[in-house]
């Protein structure tokens, strides 16, 4: 969450909700959506193993297998 302070154009998040309880996870998701949704000037690159998290937060999803992108989905 500290990475979003100061209005950076790009934020990289690696498994940001790992180990969070459901209430904290939802707070994180709501915050990320509020900061990045609809913004054409900012983006967030998120890595996750949880497809639910990807579905909630991402407008574009890439599936990687052995370090190679195998498919890409968009809204």
């Amino acid at each position: 969450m500290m990475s979003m302070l100061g209005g950076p154009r790009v934020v990289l998040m690696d498994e940001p909700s790992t180990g969070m309880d459901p209430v904290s996870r939802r707070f994180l998701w709501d915050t990320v959506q509020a900061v990045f949704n609809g913004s054409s000037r900012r983006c967030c690159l998120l890595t996750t193993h949880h497809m639910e998290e990807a579905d909630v937060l991402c407008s574009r999803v890439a599936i990687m297998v052995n370090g190679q992108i195998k498919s890409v989905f968009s809204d």
Side-chain angles (χ1 to χ4, degrees):
M1 299 270 282
M2 293 289 293
S3 64
M4 291 185 263
L5 294 176
R9 303 237 5 222
V10 177
V11 174
L12 305 175
M13 294 183 165
D14 183 25
E15 300 279 347
S17 65
T18 299
M20 287 186 171
D21 63 274
V23 173
S24 298
R25 181 179 300 138
R26 188 70 224 184
F27 176 75
L28 172 71
W29 291 359
D30 291 343
T31 303
V32 169
Q33 286 179 321
V35 171
F36 294 100
N37 245 6
S39 176
S40 61
R41 297 189 47 141
R42 302 178 79 182
C43 74
C44 178
L45 178 63
L46 171 81
T47 62
T48 185
H49 287 93
H50 302 286
M51 291 308 294
E52 179 187 11
E53 184 171 46
D55 188 43
V56 169
L57 295 177
C58 302
S59 59
R60 213 176 294 161
V61 176
I63 305 296
M64 292 186 74
V65 177
N66 295 325
Q68 295 182 341
I69 294 176
K70 296 296 181 177
S71 58
V72 177
F73 304 93
S74 295
D75 283 348

